[in-house]
Amino acid sequence: MLETSTAHSHTYNEITNQPVSWKTTVDAISSQWAELQPQLTITPDTHYVFVGCGTSLYIAQSAAQCFQEITGYTSLAVPGSEVFLSAKSTVPSRYPVIAFIISRSGTTTEALLAADYLAANRSNVTTIGITCNSDTELTKRTRFSIQLPHAHEESVVMTQSFTSMLIALQYVAASLAGDQMVIDQISSLSTYLQRDIRSFESKAQELGENLNLDHFVYLGLGPNYGLAQEGNLKLKEMTQVHCEAYNPLEFRHGPISTVREGSAIILLAGNRERDYVPSLVTDLKEVGAFVASCSPYPIDGSDMHLLVGKELTDVPRCALYMPFLQYLAYYRAVSLGLNPDQPRNLSQVVKLDE
Amino acid sequence: MLETSTAHSHTYNEITNQPVSWKTTVDAISSQWAELQPQLTITPDTHYVFVGCGTSLYIAQSAAQCFQEITGYTSLAVPGSEVFLSAKSTVPSRYPVIAFIISRSGTTTEALLAADYLAANRSNVTTIGITCNSDTELTKRTRFSIQLPHAHEESVVMTQSFTSMLIALQYVAASLAGDQMVIDQISSLSTYLQRDIRSFESKAQELGENLNLDHFVYLGLGPNYGLAQEGNLKLKEMTQVHCEAYNPLEFRHGPISTVREGSAIILLAGNRERDYVPSLVTDLKEVGAFVASCSPYPIDGSDMHLLVGKELTDVPRCALYMPFLQYLAYYRAVSLGLNPDQPRNLSQVVKLDE
């Protein structure tokens, strides 16, 4: 599968490294969290807030839903800018809050401003930075930190860092809840990905190289919504192809009007929405879409189907959908003659001048 | 401005009717809420959840931020489907919850299923339906209801119903918080729109008829994010033009890669993000975008600017951004020879067969 022309693509190598980085992530977070958790004051009314920008916001969106589902604590995702510009409308003020601030580099301006804002203005908030670098600026500005430097990346686009930080946050939730079943499943992810990664890559290549498809829609519900957003962002960053992301049932409320010959729908389905999938696929086929579905069960009527994590429950399965979406963006970029490592108009870290 | 060919468009008439419907909305909600509020048990740890599908989800997103900002209570927006398929990850379980379920028709399947799910499974939740019809199915399935039948619509797309339900929910927040300043501002919205509506329409027509622009991006932060999403959905439903919506600072984290000659950025800016607007506009101009900005202050470098609600604070100003966005979609549809009242692939109410 690996072609000569792409042998040195950082993006390709970082996607392909995920069985390794996921295993290291579980080891790293289990030891770091064992040290960190006893230092936190957690009360029954603690709220959790997940803060990020871009890809890190999509980690935040998925992590917040996973966290609330596993722990029962109220959990929210907030874009970095809305913390320091709109805290009254976004960050709970009447409860103790633990805020995870997510930034691969640990230097994103908005993540730093969010950390500074909370430290200066919100005594009810304890901040924990989570990064894929060691000893960053964010580490200095948050009360605590989680560091996953093994998931560091050379590429502009985030791939293994997305899944590694998501898995780490799911581990934290399971650890807080004492949910050994979820911890065991998270620990097994690396093995499942190792088993399936070539099949995910092969299907992603087939879909990415199909240039008859020129409009992509990513659908995910609940914890999968952030994954759909991230799949969409990967393709958008790397190829500038017209693409969008929605909750699958929301998609019928308006956006389905854009589907036509040439539209590909990438459906990330879990167990919770299984009863609603058949009629959705029927509706999508009726308006002319190509349907590529990813789920832990077969889906009739799909033009392409990936069996993903049938051994897993919905929350721990999340990361396993991502390599297919990442390879899809990668192969589309390569087939368009673009450099996946260096997207148009973008740099590795967004730094703002006010 | 009103052309012969569009004289009988329901969409046009419903957009244009907003000074009237907003005034009636304030009258209706003030009397309905005065009757409803004493029947509710509200404690300091009550959480508010706003549930909707499609346009109603975007009302929910804006309303949740407005609510938390005005009242200080933790407030969340949840898509209807995630209530009945993923409640554990979305609806707080440890607190008393007041859930507003938003549906113009009062018959949307997912809104009804959400109401039924909460009634059957969550004794901590009190449901309040909000509709633009009287005595609907939703009214029967929620504990309480707010009915705004004067904002009923003949068109498939929602325009005055969006702003009317949003204004009603802002009124409720202000009433709960005893915030007379916000109530006064909400009560004045009709007058401000009456004053400015022809100017909003004229600029929307100019922009909508500019067929050199074929990619639209709507940007809004905090309470304005739901408005940007709704502006985007209006254009998408009515024209199928390539369009997207983001938080303005998030847009730099990846999606800006798609901007090119022919991209129009519609920036909805408030007072809270004012310091960050100039550098954003500079960045957008650098990558070749046409920038149409709407704000209560002038914005240098904009290709088009609308002065919106300079007398108002950020939350009560929300509704006033919408008529421009609605007219923009309308005029683009007309200039493409499409019928704005009857979008492709859509019907007035989404009803599901499981």
Side-chain angles (χ1 to χ4, degrees):
Chain A
M1 208 80 53
L2 183 57
E3 299 163 22
T4 316
S5 67
T6 64
H8 297 294
S9 153
H10 293 304
T11 305
Y12 182 91
N13 294 339
E14 288 155 7
I15 298 170
T16 306
N17 188 49
Q18 286 174 102
V20 176
S21 55
W22 293 3
K23 186 169 184 326
T24 312
T25 294
V26 175
D27 294 342
I29 189 65
S30 66
S31 65
Q32 290 182 46
W33 190 251
E35 201 173 310
L36 206 165
Q37 185 173 334
Q39 302 177 63
L40 296 172
T41 305
I42 298 171
T43 55
D45 62 346
T46 295
H47 284 41
Y48 289 87
V49 172
F50 297 82
V51 178
C53 305
T55 285
S56 296
L57 175 60
Y58 304 138
I59 298 174
Q61 290 176 345
S62 182
Q65 293 226 11
C66 294
F67 229 82
Q68 184 160 319
E69 178 156 327
I70 295 174
T71 67
Y73 290 100
T74 301
S75 305
L76 304 155
V78 183
S81 59
E82 295 191 3
V83 171
F84 61 90
L85 295 175
S86 196
K88 274 188 80 174
S89 72
T90 58
V91 182
S93 54
R94 299 184 177 177
Y95 302 93
V97 169
I98 293 179
F100 289 91
I101 302 182
I102 307 163
S103 166
R104 172 179 63 175
S105 68
T107 61
T108 310
T109 303
E110 288 145 80
L112 300 178
L113 291 174
D116 290 348
Y117 178 89
L118 294 171
N121 299 285
R122 286 295 188 89
S123 58
N124 64 316
V125 179
T126 303
T127 54
I128 303 177
I130 173 166
T131 68
C132 297
N133 274 332
S134 301
D135 302 323
T136 65
E137 196 55 35
L138 186 63
T139 304
K140 293 181 203 147
R141 305 206 200 178
T142 50
R143 179 79 188 283
F144 299 105
S145 69
I146 294 168
Q147 301 181 14
L148 307 171
H150 63 277
H152 172 80
E153 287 160 335
E154 296 298 323
S155 175
V156 167
V157 300
M158 294 172 64
T159 55
Q160 66 173 344
S161 62
F162 176 91
T163 49
S164 294
M165 291 194 279
L166 177 60
I167 288 169
L169 291 168
Q170 291 173 330
Y171 182 96
V172 168
S175 179
L176 282 168
D179 190 331
Q180 191 59 42
M181 187 273 282
V182 170
I183 290 177
D184 290 345
Q185 291 194 29
I186 288 170
S187 306
S188 71
L189 279 170
S190 168
T191 307
Y192 291 125
L193 180 57
Q194 190 65 60
R195 179 190 69 189
D196 293 332
I197 193 165
R198 298 313 296 259
S199 139
F200 294 164
E201 178 179 358
S202 147
K203 290 192 171 163
Q205 181 170 13
E206 180 189 337
L207 186 57
E209 292 177 350
N210 181 349
L211 298 182
N212 293 323
L213 301 171
D214 61 356
H215 172 218
F216 289 75
V217 180
Y218 296 80
L219 301 179
L221 182 142
N224 290 353
Y225 177 67
L227 312 179
Q229 289 275 11
E230 171 60 4
N232 174 50
L233 181 60
K234 285 285 88 53
L235 190 66
K236 198 179 292 289
E237 287 179 324
M238 287 202 248
T239 71
Q240 294 81 55
V241 166
H242 177 187
C243 53
E244 322 176 51
Y246 297 95
N247 164 305
L249 275 74
E250 282 299 306
F251 186 58
R252 267 191 279 223
H253 291 273
I256 198 170
S257 63
T258 63
V259 172
R260 49 168 171 72
E261 204 76 29
S263 296
I265 312 292
I266 321 287
L267 173 63
L268 312 178
N271 288 318
R272 67 195 65 199
E273 66 269 42
R274 183 169 184 168
D275 291 347
Y276 290 85
V277 166
S279 75
L280 176 64
V281 171
T282 302
D283 286 2
L284 293 171
K285 296 300 300 172
E286 256 172 34
V287 290
F290 178 100
V291 177
S293 56
C294 309
S295 58
Y297 42 81
I299 296 181
D300 286 347
S302 302
D303 298 286
M304 173 182 281
H305 182 259
L306 279 76
L307 194 66
V308 178
K310 70 176 163 35
E311 302 84 355
L312 303 168
T313 52
D314 284 354
V315 163
R317 188 188 311 107
C318 284
L320 213 47
Y321 294 98
M322 294 310 302
F324 169 67
L325 305 184
Q326 295 161 345
Y327 279 129
L328 169 59
Y330 169 81
Y331 277 109
R332 170 57 72 118
V334 170
S335 67
L336 293 174
L338 300 169
N339 177 356
D341 288 352
Q342 189 43 72
R344 189 161 169 271
N345 295 355
L346 299 182
S347 57
Q348 238 217 358
V349 181
V350 176
K351 300 196 180 186
L352 302 182
D353 311 312
E354 196 180 311
Chain B
M1 208 80 53
L2 183 57
E3 299 163 22
T4 316
S5 66
T6 64
H8 297 294
S9 153
H10 293 304
T11 305
Y12 182 91
N13 293 339
E14 287 155 6
I15 298 170
T16 306
N17 188 49
Q18 286 174 103
V20 176
S21 55
W22 293 3
K23 186 169 185 326
T24 312
T25 294
V26 175
D27 295 342
I29 190 64
S30 67
S31 66
Q32 289 182 45
W33 190 251
E35 201 172 311
L36 206 165
Q37 185 173 335
Q39 302 177 63
L40 296 172
T41 305
I42 299 171
T43 55
D45 63 345
T46 295
H47 284 40
Y48 289 86
V49 172
F50 297 83
V51 178
C53 305
T55 285
S56 296
L57 175 60
Y58 304 138
I59 298 174
Q61 289 176 345
S62 182
Q65 294 226 11
C66 294
F67 229 82
Q68 184 160 318
E69 178 156 327
I70 295 174
T71 67
Y73 289 101
T74 302
S75 305
L76 304 155
V78 183
S81 59
E82 295 191 2
V83 171
F84 61 89
L85 295 176
S86 196
K88 274 188 81 175
S89 72
T90 58
V91 181
S93 54
R94 299 184 177 177
Y95 302 93
V97 169
I98 293 179
F100 289 91
I101 302 181
I102 307 163
S103 166
R104 172 179 62 175
S105 68
T107 61
T108 310
T109 303
E110 287 145 81
L112 300 178
L113 291 174
D116 290 349
Y117 179 89
L118 294 171
N121 299 285
R122 286 294 188 89
S123 58
N124 64 316
V125 178
T126 303
T127 54
I128 303 177
I130 172 165
T131 67
C132 297
N133 274 332
S134 301
D135 303 322
T136 64
E137 196 55 35
L138 185 63
T139 304
K140 293 180 202 147
R141 304 205 200 178
T142 50
R143 179 78 189 284
F144 299 106
S145 69
I146 294 169
Q147 301 181 15
L148 307 171
H150 63 277
H152 172 80
E153 287 160 335
E154 296 298 323
S155 175
V156 167
V157 300
M158 294 172 64
T159 55
Q160 66 173 345
S161 62
F162 176 91
T163 50
S164 294
M165 291 194 280
L166 177 60
I167 288 169
L169 291 168
Q170 291 173 330
Y171 182 97
V172 168
S175 179
L176 282 168
D179 190 331
Q180 192 58 44
M181 187 272 282
V182 170
I183 291 177
D184 290 345
Q185 290 194 28
I186 289 171
S187 305
S188 71
L189 279 170
S190 168
T191 306
Y192 291 124
L193 180 57
Q194 189 66 59
R195 179 190 69 189
D196 293 333
I197 193 166
R198 298 313 296 259
S199 139
F200 293 164
E201 178 179 358
S202 146
K203 290 192 170 163
Q205 180 170 13
E206 180 189 337
L207 186 57
E209 292 177 350
N210 181 349
L211 299 182
N212 293 322
L213 301 171
D214 61 356
H215 172 218
F216 289 76
V217 180
Y218 296 80
L219 301 179
L221 183 142
N224 289 352
Y225 177 67
L227 312 180
Q229 289 275 12
E230 171 60 5
N232 174 51
L233 181 60
K234 285 284 89 54
L235 190 67
K236 198 179 291 289
E237 287 179 324
M238 286 202 248
T239 72
Q240 294 82 54
V241 166
H242 177 187
C243 53
E244 322 176 52
Y246 297 95
N247 164 305
L249 275 75
E250 282 299 306
F251 186 58
R252 267 191 279 224
H253 291 273
I256 198 170
S257 64
T258 63
V259 172
R260 49 166 172 74
E261 204 75 28
S263 295
I265 312 292
I266 321 287
L267 173 63
L268 312 178
N271 288 318
R272 66 195 66 199
E273 66 269 43
R274 183 169 184 168
D275 291 346
Y276 291 85
V277 165
S279 75
L280 176 64
V281 171
T282 302
D283 286 2
L284 293 172
K285 297 300 300 173
E286 256 172 34
V287 290
F290 178 100
V291 177
S293 56
C294 309
S295 59
Y297 42 81
I299 296 181
D300 287 347
S302 302
D303 298 286
M304 174 182 281
H305 182 259
L306 279 75
L307 194 66
V308 178
K310 69 176 163 36
E311 302 84 355
L312 303 169
T313 52
D314 284 355
V315 163
R317 189 189 310 108
C318 285
L320 213 47
Y321 293 98
M322 294 311 301
F324 169 68
L325 305 184
Q326 295 161 344
Y327 278 129
L328 169 59
Y330 169 82
Y331 277 109
R332 170 57 72 117
V334 171
S335 67
L336 293 174
L338 300 169
N339 177 356
D341 287 353
Q342 189 44 72
R344 190 162 169 270
N345 296 354
L346 299 182
S347 56
Q348 239 217 358
V349 181
V350 176
K351 300 197 179 184
L352 303 182
D353 311 312
E354 197 181 311

